[in-house]
Amino acid sequence: MGAVRPGVPIAQRPVVRPVAADGESDGPPCPSCGTPNLPGRKFCRRCAAPLKPSEQAEALPWWRTRWPFSRKVRAGSGRLLRGSLIALVIAGLLVAGFLLVPAGRYVVEDVRDKLGGTGEISPTEVSASASTPGHPAKAATDGVTNSYWGAPEVGASLTAAFDKPFRLVGVTVHTGVSKKPEVFRQGARPTRADLLITTEDGKVHEKTMTLADKPGEQTVRTGISDVVSIRFVVRAAAGQEGGRPIALGEIEYFKRT
């Protein structure tokens, strides 16, 4: 009997295991292929595209593209440098507007008038182009309203001069022979007047006052710098029957303090 050959080993057949359910089907979709991915993944499980692409930097404002704001500086100093440069630019524009642009200077002075205080200023000299007897020019600046400057006719004027230039912010007048209503209409009173305001450089500014025909103070704002004299010219009046003088009970001038 012949020798028996050893048997050929038979390889084990592979065991097929069921595939586990994909737990990533409920995650956010890939922005490239749309495959769902679990939160926390950085790349898509199918196409390997980034799930959270880096955000693009916002475009710089136009002024950041101009020198000197476009210059790169050391870390930590950029904010301070930019703030300082912006403050210098703003200050330069304000100075230029104040010195070079009349409208800019007017705005600045007008703001100062509103924020600052005011005080009455008395003229050093008062004169009139004409006065009726017993009612001289100085009666219009004596601080009381029961005396008055009497203008004989329309066109007469009262001029106040000042020793130093000042910022005139307003003029207040009291018309008529008295502030008492029952006495007010017993005399003539101006209903319109022009203020001719002369400044130190010789320029004359004109303001028109339309006056209500009633007792009490009436004010016009001016806002004029370097004033040296103010002329009040009567342009229209009421109650002149019988040749009664046109009464200006009091005129007051106010400066910025």
Side-chain angles (χ1 to χ4, degrees):
M1 186 174 177
V4 179
R5 294 182 178 182
V8 178
I10 299 173
Q12 235 179 356
R13 296 184 68 179
V15 178
V16 179
R17 295 186 178 91
V19 178
D22 193 348
E24 298 179 335
S25 60
D26 295 333
C30 171
S32 178
C33 68
T35 302
N37 291 271
L38 282 176
R41 290 186 67 96
K42 295 183 179 179
F43 300 95
C44 177
R45 62 190 176 90
R46 170 169 292 179
C47 67
L51 296 178
K52 295 181 179 180
S54 57
E55 296 181 358
Q56 295 184 351
E58 295 183 2
L60 293 175
W62 67 268
W63 57 268
R64 287 292 308 278
T65 64
R66 301 293 188 269
W67 187 91
F69 304 105
S70 60
R71 297 182 60 188
K72 294 183 179 180
V73 294
R74 294 190 304 274
S77 63
R79 181 176 300 177
L80 178 61
L81 177 61
R82 287 195 297 271
S84 301
L85 290 174
I86 291 173
L88 288 174
V89 169
I90 293 174
L93 291 174
L94 289 175
V95 171
F98 180 77
L99 297 178
L100 303 178
V101 183
R105 183 172 183 178
Y106 173 82
V107 171
V108 172
E109 292 291 356
D110 186 61
V111 171
R112 291 184 63 192
D113 288 345
K114 293 177 180 177
L115 297 180
T118 60
E120 186 176 355
I121 181 171
S122 299
T124 55
E125 183 181 354
V126 181
S127 59
S129 62
S131 301
T132 56
H135 303 288
K138 64 180 182 180
T141 58
D142 58 3
V144 294
T145 58
N146 56 1
S147 62
Y148 60 89
W149 165 59
E153 59 185 357
V154 171
S157 62
L158 179 81
T159 302
F162 303 85
D163 57 349
K164 294 180 180 179
F166 67 99
R167 172 78 177 178
L168 179 68
V169 296
V171 176
T172 296
V173 299
H174 299 256
T175 62
V177 298
S178 173
K179 63 181 181 180
K180 297 179 180 180
E182 63 273 15
V183 183
F184 176 77
R185 294 186 178 277
Q186 294 180 7
R189 53 272 173 200
T191 55
R192 184 168 57 85
D194 287 338
L195 291 176
L196 304 180
I197 304 165
T198 304
T199 53
E200 190 177 22
D201 58 3
K203 186 176 180 180
V204 178
H205 304 259
E206 185 172 341
K207 290 276 187 179
T208 298
M209 294 187 71
T210 300
L211 302 165
D213 192 17
K214 62 181 182 179
E217 66 178 38
Q218 302 181 59
T219 301
V220 60
R221 287 192 59 196
T222 52
I224 301 174
S225 298
D226 303 323
V227 173
V228 293
S229 71
I230 304 168
R231 185 181 176 196
F232 180 92
V233 185
V234 179
R235 295 303 187 192
Q240 299 182 75
E241 298 82 4
R244 294 183 292 185
I246 305 169
L248 179 64
E250 192 73 13
I251 183 167
E252 301 166 297
Y253 313 95
F254 293 90
K255 65 177 182 178
R256 185 174 68 201
T257 58

